[in-house]
Structures are given as structure tokens and as C-alpha cells.
Amino acid sequence: MGYSFQFGVIEANLDKFLQGLVLGLALAFAAIFIGTLIGLLCAFATMAKAQTPSRLVGIYVSAIRNTPLLVIILFVYFALPQLGIRLGKHESFVFSLAIYAGAYLTEVFRSGLAGVPRGVIDAGRAIGLTGFQLALCVISPIMWRNCLPALGTTFISLFKDTSLAAVIAIPELTYQARKLNTETFRVAEAWATASVLYLATCLLIAAGLRQLERRFPKF
Amino acid sequence: MNKQKFTLLAGLCATALVTGFGNAALAQDKLEQILQRGKLIVGTGVGNPPWHFRDEKGDMAGFDVDVAKIVAKGLFGDDTKIEYVNQASDARIPNIVTDKVDITCQFMTVTAERAQQVNFTIPYYREGVGLMMAAGGKYKSRDEMKAAGAAVTVSVLQNVYAEEMVHYALPEAKVDQYESVDLMYQALNSGRADAAATDMSSLQWFMKQNPGKYVDGGYGWNPQTYSCAVKRGEQDYLNFVNIAFREALTGVEFATYSKSFEMWFGVKPPEPKVGFPEELR
């Protein structure tokens, strides 16, 4: 192995790496927030008695889940402007990741809903709760409890997906690592640093979510 | 030893000496060697249009190839008498030094450092960075973009000093670095970037492939000179190649050079002025 490590160049550019990491986190946060709203809406829509919402959600989920995220990102960034829909660079990425997140989160929430015991719902009805009260006070807490572990996995996976923003020239962590790589040819150092930063961040998010799981009221 | 025998021996020695020297002289003179061989061995690459690539028929084509053909035509009166050696960029100098090729024509940038290892011919092209905009777009020229300042986004191929390169021409422009050439052009097509900045020859070739869709920014910078290279210490041969190129750029073969230039870059090179040879002024 004729490669000698030189981390000096990483040290000199550490601020850029951290800026990239923060930008990635911000993008992930925005996309996950919107994605969660989409997911909740879609998951509850499948509970409706009517068939149409369920079918529409089914189409959305299978369309998005069977398309690579990179393709969605490139489509929204490059193709939509030609069709007359122009989002800013960051907005277009958040939009892409949000609809992608929405599809996965719909499935997560649906599985959480499926785990709500029939008897609890019937009991809620029996004491005269309205549909909305039932959803908010009885079904939701149990659903959240049920899907917390799966949510954690999905959130972490979505955060890692922000690395794809590098393709459309958004200066997040992967972009910064690639840039430093082409500028200095310190290939091992650049990617090792990016990996460690991703790993550390994901472990922190996972630990946080585990804490949340532990403190979440049990039923 | 009788006189007859001595004469014979002396004669043999003399013959050996003469033919020996003759062979040595022959081996030393590259020009003579190539003429006797009857073909020119040219080192170049494949897969870099418009410089050197295989066309639809599988034949070598491109501006570098046409430049090599000028030399072959000068040598044999026939520009097909070439054997191409496909070489990577990093083999350009070694293949000359080890006599694997007679000449390398492969968009080779002339630097003083390289001139210590090989002899460069006179230049046949000057590369630079140019700006390309979509036809009918917001900006028509570099001056308009410069005036617009930070409102302008330029797409470039990710590279060392990519930002400095763009900021030399457009000091305040935003620079979006993409990892491949097609993404860089896509950014321009989708309006994500107001201009693309890359090698002038690539831009000209791209504009020629897509007529009417793009406009040239009318500004080039970051000059680098392209020359062919031959082995050091072959001054006669170098002189010959230089004469062949000079007459292609300014003399009897100008029509050939001009036709090729227009074919690959979509524009005609300036005509040499008749009368006083300007290059001597």
C-alpha cells in the first residue's frame, strides 16, 4: 500500500465539512417534516370506508417506492423546469425527498395503525367519542408507540439520502468531500472524514430516538 | 600478405566502414526512416470528440487526426499512410521517448516542463475556456452577465480551481459544479444555470451538434496551446513537421486545415493574408 495519510488538508477544510453536514441535516429535517405530514394524511386516508382514497394512496406509494430517489431528484430538478414548474435548488431537493419520505412513512404509519387493537377502537366508540376524537386521543398514541422503531430507521435512512443532493450541486457533506477530493486528491481522507461524520450523526439520531422510545408512555 | 590480398582487405574494410556509417546515419535520421517505412506511426487517443475518436464507420476522426494527416500527406502525398497507436493521455510522452510512435497529436498542452522531455511542433490550436448560453435566454453575452453580477449562475464540470476559473470572467457569478459533462449541459438546458463554462472546443463541438440551440458568450480565457510532439534530437524531422504545419496554417495546405477546423469547431479560421508573410513581421 503506497498511500500515506495526510489529514492536514481535512483539518483546514473541516468548517466546510461541518457546514455541509448542517445543510444536510436541515434538508433532511424539512423533508422529513413534510413527509411525516404526507404520511399521516395518507395512512389515515386508507382507514376511510370509501375505496378511492385507499386506491390513490396505493398508487402514490407504489409509484414512489418503485422509483429510485436519484431519478426523482433529477426529474424534479432538471425536467420540471422544462415543463414550466420551477422550484429553487434547495426547494426542489426538499420536495423530492419529501414525496419520497411520504411514501415510506405512509407504510410505516399504516403498519402502526394496523397494530391498534380493534377492541380499543370499539371501546372508544362505546364511550361516544367522535371520529376525530377517536383518531386523536385513542388511535394516534398507540399508532406512534407501535411505529417508533420503524420511524427511527426511516428517519436515519432519509438523512443519509441527503448525500444525493450532491448530484444537483447542493454543497452538503458528500459534495464537500467530493470537491476536496478533486482539489487535493486526498481521496481516502476525504471519504473517511465524510463517513465518520455521517456515522456519528446517525448514531446520535438513533440514540435520541431510543431515548424517545424509552420515555414514550406505554399502554 | 601480398599486395592483392591487402587491397581486398582494405577494400572490405572501407566498404564495411562506409556501409556501417551509412546505416548509422540512416538509423539516426528519423525523417529518412519514416520515408523508407512508408507510413507514419501516430500516437493519439480515442473517445474524445472533436479531437480524436472513431466515427460511425469505425475510422479515426477528429482534429488531432486531421493534423496528423497533414504530416502524412507531406511525407507520402497520401494522408491514409498512417498507423494509429491508441494511447492514454499519460502515455503521450513515454511513447515518444521510447520510439513507439513517430509523432503524438493528442490535444497536448505545451508547457516548458514538457518541452524538456519532448520537442513540440509549432501550435495548431489554442484552447481556452468559453461561455455558452441557451439561445433566446436572459443574457446574450459575457458583458451582460458580468453586469448582472451575483444573479448569474454558471454550471461547470467539477475541477480544481473551477470557481477561480469562472470568477476570472464573471467575478460575482454563482458557480454550480457538476460531476459530469451531461449534467453540466442539462443544468443549462433546464435553466438551472445561465451559462455553461468549459473548454472552447467542447462548446463549439456541442453547438455544432445542436445548431441554433445555443449561443457563444463571445469571450475566451485561460489559454493553452496545443502542439504535436516528437522525439528530442531529431531536428531535421522536427523542421519537416513544422514546415508541414506552417504551410497548413498559412500556405498551400490552408484549405485542408480550414476545412477540418470548420468541420470540428463550426467556424472558419481567419484566412492568411496574401502578400507580405505576416508571421515574419
Side-chain angles (χ1 to χ4, degrees):
Chain A
M1 205 177 79
Y3 196 91
S4 60
F5 283 85
Q6 284 173 25
F7 278 96
V9 60
I10 301 289
E11 240 176 276
N13 289 285
L14 199 60
D15 55 329
K16 282 190 187 147
F17 275 81
L18 293 177
Q19 279 166 20
L21 183 65
V22 170
L23 179 59
L25 279 169
L27 292 171
F29 186 80
I32 288 171
F33 181 76
I34 302 170
T36 304
L37 294 182
I38 298 174
L40 283 174
L41 195 73
C42 289
F44 275 98
T46 57
M47 302 247 296
K49 281 205 185 73
Q51 289 288 303
T52 324
S54 225
R55 265 194 210 132
L56 287 178
V57 169
I59 292 170
Y60 160 65
V61 169
S62 52
I64 297 295
R65 286 214 307 176
N66 294 306
T67 313
L69 177 56
L70 182 59
V71 173
I72 300 176
I73 292 167
L74 292 174
F75 183 83
V76 171
Y77 186 71
F78 286 123
L80 283 191
Q82 307 224 349
L83 303 174
I85 303 164
R86 175 169 298 276
L87 295 167
K89 189 154 81 174
H90 295 86
E91 289 83 350
S92 92
F93 179 78
V94 168
F95 177 76
S96 308
L97 191 58
I99 56 168
Y100 182 77
Y104 277 87
L105 291 171
T106 299
E107 289 299 278
V108 171
F109 289 132
R110 233 156 54 104
S111 72
L113 284 176
V116 177
R118 192 76 226 164
V120 180
I121 300 172
D122 289 342
R125 285 230 176 79
I127 59 169
L129 293 177
T130 63
F132 182 71
Q133 284 171 325
L134 192 69
L136 192 72
C137 307
V138 178
I139 301 176
S140 282
I142 303 176
M143 175 204 76
W144 280 106
R145 169 82 237 167
N146 285 346
C147 59
L148 264 184
L151 267 185
T153 317
T154 313
F155 285 171
I156 287 171
S157 160
L158 288 168
F159 164 64
K160 287 189 295 180
D161 286 338
T162 57
S163 62
L164 291 170
V167 176
I168 55 171
I170 291 178
E172 49 68 66
L173 183 51
T174 302
Y175 178 93
Q176 298 290 3
R178 204 180 64 194
K179 188 160 184 277
L180 192 73
N181 191 4
T182 40
E183 282 172 10
T184 63
F185 295 105
R186 304 315 310 177
V187 46
E189 292 87 338
W191 293 120
T193 308
S195 308
V196 167
L197 285 174
Y198 276 120
L199 181 69
T201 312
C202 288
L203 287 176
L204 273 175
I205 299 173
L209 287 168
R210 253 200 312 279
Q211 279 298 315
L212 187 68
E213 249 175 80
R214 197 171 302 154
R215 302 208 175 160
F216 208 83
K218 294 182 176 60
F219 309 106
Chain B
M1 195 183 281
N2 62 36
K3 203 180 168 189
Q4 233 180 355
K5 262 193 180 161
F6 177 79
T7 317
L8 195 67
L9 202 66
L12 274 173
C13 279
T15 318
L17 224 63
V18 168
T19 48
F21 277 163
N23 278 339
L26 219 66
Q28 271 166 8
D29 190 359
K30 190 102 185 170
L31 181 58
E32 205 55 47
Q33 198 186 319
I34 296 167
L35 282 168
Q36 278 192 359
R37 192 200 296 134
K39 66 179 178 191
L40 180 71
I41 302 176
V42 173
T44 193
V46 284
N48 279 308
W51 291 99
H52 38 259
F53 61 103
R54 290 198 183 280
D55 62 14
E56 310 85 60
K57 281 180 264 161
D59 296 329
M60 289 297 295
F63 196 58
D64 282 334
V65 172
D66 285 350
V67 164
K69 283 179 178 169
I70 289 169
V71 184
K73 193 177 175 192
L75 285 165
F76 313 111
D78 181 352
D79 67 9
T80 61
K81 296 205 165 160
I82 299 182
E83 181 189 326
Y84 294 99
V85 172
N86 177 16
Q87 58 187 17
S89 285
D90 56 2
R92 290 179 296 190
I93 289 178
N95 280 358
I96 294 169
V97 174
T98 57
D99 276 323
K100 287 206 176 72
V101 300
D102 298 325
I103 187 167
T104 280
C105 299
Q106 193 175 2
F107 53 26
M108 196 165 173
T109 304
V110 177
T111 66
E113 201 186 2
R114 285 175 174 171
Q116 297 165 16
Q117 296 169 278
V118 291
N119 273 346
F120 282 111
T121 66
I122 60 168
Y124 58 88
Y125 188 79
R126 181 150 292 135
E127 184 63 288
V129 180
L131 290 165
M132 181 174 83
M133 287 91 75
K138 219 191 293 178
Y139 306 103
K140 305 263 177 303
S141 68
R142 176 232 180 184
D143 292 336
E144 284 184 31
M145 285 194 283
K146 203 174 175 184
V152 172
T153 305
V154 179
S155 67
V156 291
L157 191 61
Q158 190 162 41
N159 200 349
V160 194
Y161 310 128
E163 279 182 32
E164 286 88 334
M165 179 191 93
V166 172
H167 287 157
Y168 182 89
L170 302 166
E172 292 166 76
K174 280 199 284 290
V175 180
D176 277 358
Q177 300 191 27
Y178 291 94
E179 59 186 315
S180 72
V181 180
D182 55 303
L183 286 179
M184 178 186 82
Y185 287 139
Q186 262 191 48
L188 180 63
N189 289 341
S190 58
R192 290 288 172 191
D194 301 300
T198 192
D199 284 352
M200 194 67 107
S201 63
S202 308
L203 292 179
Q204 285 175 325
W205 170 250
F206 194 72
M207 282 189 268
K208 183 146 194 291
Q209 302 302 303
N210 304 281
K213 286 181 76 180
Y214 302 97
V215 287
D216 186 352
Y219 181 70
W221 71 104
N222 270 24
Q224 21 179 337
T225 306
Y226 285 171
S227 282
C228 294
V230 298
K231 200 178 183 181
R232 282 185 56 190
E234 294 288 350
Q235 190 59 51
D236 260 11
Y237 170 53
L238 176 63
N239 282 356
F240 170 81
V241 177
N242 277 344
I243 293 290
F245 284 170
R246 193 188 72 196
E247 294 318 303
L249 270 82
T250 63
V252 283
E253 289 296 329
F254 178 74
T256 315
Y257 177 84
S258 174
K259 203 177 132 209
S260 166
F261 195 100
E262 198 184 352
M263 175 162 182
W264 304 118
F265 306 126
V267 286
K268 273 189 174 18
E271 296 263 341
K273 235 196 204 137
V274 175
F276 184 81
E278 269 177 305
E279 64 273 20
L280 295 181
R281 182 162 292 280

